[in-house]
Amino acid sequence: ISVTVMNPSGVWLNGAVSQMFHLMAVVCLACVVLKAIQLYWRKRKLLKIFKSFPGPPTHWLYGHLQMLQQEDELDNTASWAEKYPHCHPVWLGGFLVFLWINHPEYAKAVYIGSDLTSSFALCSSIGQGLLILNGPKWFQHRRLLTPGFHYDILKSYVTMMADSVHVMLDKWEQLITQEKSVELFEHVSLMTLDSIMKSAFSYQSNCQTDRSVPGDEQGEGWGSEGGGEWKGRGVEGAGLGCPQSLLLVPFRDDFGKMTYTTMCIKETLRLYPPVPAIARELSAPVTFVDGRTLPKGLTTCLYYSLQVFDPLRFSPENSAERHSYAFLPFAAGPRNCIGQQFAMNEMKVALALTLLRFEFSPDPAKPPIKIPQAILRSKNGIHLHLKKLQ
């Protein structure tokens, strides 16, 4: 005969643990249900707000993410801009929505009619620069940095920019072959990094020739230096990386004024914007020209549509008739790019010196594959055939 003696304290302990796990499960379930209810009401609120803003069909869960993650994203967004010429919502999933703006009057209402805050979701590793700061701290930093980008100061950087460009061009001479094209984006990225380090920090990085310099492969880690909102190598690097500006500038320009070259640069920035989407969070309600409104807290996104490359659209006579908010490669309003004149100067210097030494032709076997990220880039680089001018 065997006798089993139960420990009353052990039975009580097991029961207490069981009740605790049961309570935790109930609490977790309640939190999930509460969150689901919150998301449901948020979705209903957003649908009500954007009811007057028609847009492309959306998936109930993914929104437009599947179309935005394809290689032809820019083509998709261009077709949306044609179908919805003023603006349209874009859903990033089922509960996050932006109003994408395709019309200058809408852009004007956003940049003038409301105090704006940055809405960049960037990793904290870049630091608290102008790009992601808001409020009084942003204003203080902006005011401190603005004198450093005065026109007279920028003029003194031209010689340093030219030195960096010459180093890049000397490297290209060593890479010229009859058969193979040259991938230029890495070289341009290093050149802009070198130029920024010399101009903004008085530092001789030698990043174009010394392969041991940290981050020299793509200039990573330096793109947000100099105040955050100064796009650094993002604007001039991506701008110079677009083949249109190199291939379609004829040798009939006056390099003193660089009128036609400037037109080509602007058209390249319009067709292939280095920062393809400029997002801003509304800190106050905005009413658009047609009476439709957006409340405080929503995010707008200025996006550019693609058209035929035509530098003459920036001729003086054509520019005179253009809406002042129809071309915003450096954004507008108080949060515009603080380094836009620096970027334009560097692109002009680089193009002028490059076209005096080389002719370019595209590599039909390796056309650029556009991938819009923080800046517009080519998935496979920029491959061009180089021919040295005698």
Side-chain angles (χ1 to χ4, degrees):
I1 299 173
S2 61
V3 178
T4 303
V5 179
M6 298 296 296
N7 186 344
S9 61
V11 173
W12 178 87
L13 182 61
N14 290 336
V17 172
S18 177
Q19 289 181 357
M20 183 179 65
F21 279 109
H22 179 72
L23 180 61
M24 291 177 59
V26 171
V27 171
C28 291
L29 179 60
C31 291
V32 170
V33 172
L34 179 61
K35 188 64 177 179
I37 293 173
Q38 290 176 341
L39 290 176
Y40 170 77
W41 285 109
R42 173 177 170 79
K43 184 64 174 283
R44 286 197 59 177
K45 179 182 177 181
L46 292 175
L47 289 174
K48 183 177 180 180
I49 292 174
F50 286 93
K51 184 178 180 180
S52 58
F53 296 93
T58 178
H59 187 276
W60 70 272
L61 179 61
Y62 302 113
H64 298 105
L65 277 176
Q66 292 175 319
M67 300 188 71
L68 293 177
Q69 292 174 347
Q70 300 171 358
E71 290 183 353
D72 57 350
E73 172 185 339
L74 291 178
D75 297 326
N76 290 333
T77 55
S79 65
W80 293 346
E82 292 179 2
K83 189 173 183 180
Y84 310 99
H86 291 85
C87 63
H88 60 84
V90 170
W91 292 82
L92 304 182
F95 306 97
L96 179 62
V97 60
F98 296 80
L99 182 70
W100 284 26
I101 295 174
N102 308 311
H103 193 277
E105 282 295 334
Y106 273 66
K108 181 179 179 181
V110 167
Y111 285 113
I112 290 183
S114 171
D115 293 330
L116 300 171
T117 59
S118 173
S119 57
F120 282 91
L122 298 177
C123 61
S124 58
S125 61
I126 69 171
Q128 294 293 314
L130 280 183
L131 186 62
I132 58 177
L133 283 176
N134 293 308
K137 194 171 184 180
W138 170 86
F139 180 78
Q140 180 187 24
H141 283 219
R142 178 83 181 203
R143 184 174 58 182
L144 289 172
L145 287 169
T146 297
F149 295 93
H150 189 274
Y151 177 78
D152 291 335
I153 293 179
L154 293 180
K155 286 193 299 184
S156 65
Y157 294 159
V158 171
T159 301
M160 289 178 278
M161 294 175 180
D163 291 340
S164 298
V165 174
H166 282 303
V167 173
M168 178 183 69
L169 300 181
D170 291 340
K171 291 169 61 180
W172 287 1
E173 288 193 14
Q174 307 300 319
L175 298 174
I176 294 178
T177 63
Q178 293 288 339
E179 300 81 13
K180 294 183 179 180
S181 58
V182 179
E183 201 289 305
L184 302 184
F185 187 80
E186 178 183 350
H187 297 278
V188 173
S189 297
L190 293 175
M191 182 273 292
T192 57
L193 171 61
D194 188 29
S195 178
I196 290 171
M197 297 302 290
K198 290 177 181 177
S199 304
F201 305 104
S202 300
Y203 178 72
Q204 296 288 338
S205 68
N206 300 318
C207 62
Q208 297 192 78
T209 54
D210 185 358
R211 306 301 295 178
S212 64
V213 175
D216 68 344
E217 286 297 326
Q218 290 294 339
E220 298 298 342
W222 299 100
S224 302
E225 295 285 351
E229 197 161 359
W230 175 18
K231 301 300 189 302
R233 73 173 181 87
V235 172
E236 63 267 26
L240 287 169
C242 293
Q244 298 280 18
S245 57
L246 289 173
L247 298 177
L248 298 178
V249 181
F251 285 95
R252 61 180 177 85
D253 207 343
D254 177 356
F255 284 104
K257 298 180 180 178
M258 300 187 69
T259 303
Y260 191 76
T261 302
T262 302
M263 291 162 54
C264 288
I265 291 174
K266 289 183 176 181
E267 177 64 353
T268 301
L269 293 174
R270 186 199 64 81
L271 191 64
Y272 300 105
V275 183
I278 303 174
R280 292 291 185 268
E281 181 181 328
L282 301 178
S283 57
V286 168
T287 300
F288 297 109
V289 64
D290 55 9
R292 293 185 289 182
T293 62
L294 279 183
K296 173 185 176 181
L298 290 182
T299 300
T300 62
C301 188
L302 181 64
Y303 210 93
Y304 299 92
S305 60
L306 308 181
Q307 299 177 19
V308 177
F309 185 87
D310 180 16
L312 291 178
R313 72 177 80 241
F314 287 98
S315 64
E317 55 272 19
N318 290 332
S319 297
E321 303 296 326
R322 182 179 299 109
H323 194 289
S324 58
Y325 281 78
F327 176 64
L328 302 174
F330 300 100
R335 294 196 71 105
N336 65 349
C337 178
I338 194 173
Q340 56 184 287
Q341 192 57 51
F342 181 97
M344 287 296 296
N345 288 352
E346 185 171 17
M347 285 188 282
K348 291 177 182 179
V349 170
L351 275 176
L353 296 177
T354 299
L355 293 173
L356 288 173
R357 289 177 63 174
F358 294 99
E359 287 184 358
F360 296 85
S361 60
D363 184 348
K366 299 177 181 178
I369 302 174
K370 301 182 294 292
I371 50 170
Q373 297 175 340
I375 62 171
L376 180 63
R377 301 180 66 173
S378 172
K379 183 178 181 179
N380 58 336
I382 303 294
H383 296 268
L384 297 176
H385 291 285
L386 304 180
K387 179 181 178 182
K388 192 175 185 304
L389 297 175
Q390 300 300 327

